[in-house]
Amino acid sequence: MINGNSLQGRTAIVTGSTSGIGLGIARGLAAAGANIVLNGFGDQKEIDQTRRELRSQTGVQVQYHPADMSRPDQIVAMINDTRSTLGGVDILVNNAGIQKVAPVEEFPVDKWDAIIAINLSSAFHTMRAAVPLMKAKGWGRIINIGSAHSLVASPFKSAYVAAKHGLLGLTRTVALEVAQSGITCNLVCPGYVRTPLVEGQIKDTAKARGISEEAVIRDVMLGEQPTKKFVSLEELAALTVFLCSDTAASITGTALPVDGGWTAH
Ligand code: NAD
């Protein structure tokens, strides 16, 4: 039964949802009633435990698909499998992402290729496969997880900033194409959130900038955010759930910063 702003009866795929922001968003969507397809890498026992936990807390169906977001064939298989088992893809959250911090002249070529594939091209492949399913139902919600780095740059993140700026253009383009089909497409742009991805870049940033790890947190990360606080998973999940509601039908093609004021200056 699909009613008002409840997501009951909807099916959501959240890429990269075995950890961090993706898992937080999957929890939020499940609590709002959507069936969930988890995706991402990780320990199979932990993933099974997360599935059981989510199912028993919310009563929704929770599946897991191991598709590698750098592999277009596996992405198409994930969309097709979801259609077969859960009847479609109503909500698509393109969240999977990786990071590498290094000066451009030392930036490893394989890391450039992987970041463009996982952080940008995967969203093209998921949307290409899922939009026809949404059009067939006359309803869909696409939430791409960009970054403050979709709107501004920082040094030593050439691939990441390029991919996240690209995701902004892709979001706007798809939003225009599907505007009359009951589908919205938006970019959520978080500031720093303390996830494993951010923990991993503290050391590299300290090295690239020649400063201590404490200084990276205080001056580089929270230095960017006027609130001086990390963004929380709950804040990002709540915004995503709202964007999936019927009341958010006219919000499309936007970039929504959730960054403690970072991109205001
Ligand atoms: P994370 O490292 O905690 O989670 C990343 C997820 O992506 C994991 O589930 C991982 O298994 C998955 N993943 C990685 N490579 C994959 C692949 N090839 N195929 C499928 N899944 C893959 O990171 P996070 O901080 O939660 O980041 C999630 C998203 O949020 C990313 O797109 C990131 O750029 C964005 N973001 C994060 C922050 C932050 O401060 N943490 C800020 C802005 C934007």
Side-chain angles (χ1 to χ4, degrees), residues 26-55:
R27 287 188 195 285
L29 291 172
N35 295 323
I36 301 292
V37 177
L38 297 171
N39 159 260
F41 301 141
D43 177 69
Q44 192 58 49
K45 279 197 188 119
E46 278 177 31
I47 294 169
D48 290 342
Q49 174 63 24
T50 305
R51 283 181 64 190
R52 275 195 300 274
E53 212 180 273
L54 266 183
R55 207 166 24 216

Side-chain angles (χ1 to χ4, degrees), residues 89-91 134 138-142 181-185:
V89 178
D90 307 305
I91 296 165
M134 294 177 177
W139 195 95
R141 293 288 184 269
I142 301 168
S181 303
I183 305 167
T184 67
C185 181

Side-chain angles (χ1 to χ4, degrees), residues 124-189:
F124 159 72
H125 294 294
T126 56
M127 290 194 283
R128 186 171 182 274
V131 160
L133 308 183
M134 294 177 177
K135 279 188 173 170
K137 291 194 187 181
W139 195 95
R141 293 288 184 269
I142 301 168
I143 291 100
N144 294 325
I145 303 302
S147 164
H149 285 120
S150 295
L151 305 168
V152 295
S154 294
F156 314 119
K157 294 184 176 179
S158 51
Y160 188 83
V161 172
K164 293 294 185 182
H165 272 63
L167 204 49
L168 172 58
L170 180 60
T171 300
R172 288 174 167 160
T173 304
V174 173
L176 296 178
E177 291 182 20
V178 301
Q180 293 180 40
S181 303
I183 305 167
T184 67
C185 181
N186 290 289
L187 188 72
V188 170
C189 300

Side-chain angles (χ1 to χ4, degrees), residues 97-134:
I98 58 169
Q99 174 65 287
K100 171 74 190 172
V101 180
V104 69
E105 67 272 29
E106 291 167 21
F107 211 91
V109 172
D110 62 334
K111 283 285 179 200
W112 169 274
D113 289 341
I115 289 173
I116 298 298
I118 296 164
N119 296 21
L120 175 60
S121 301
S122 73
F124 159 72
H125 294 294
T126 56
M127 290 194 283
R128 186 171 182 274
V131 160
L133 308 183
M134 294 177 177

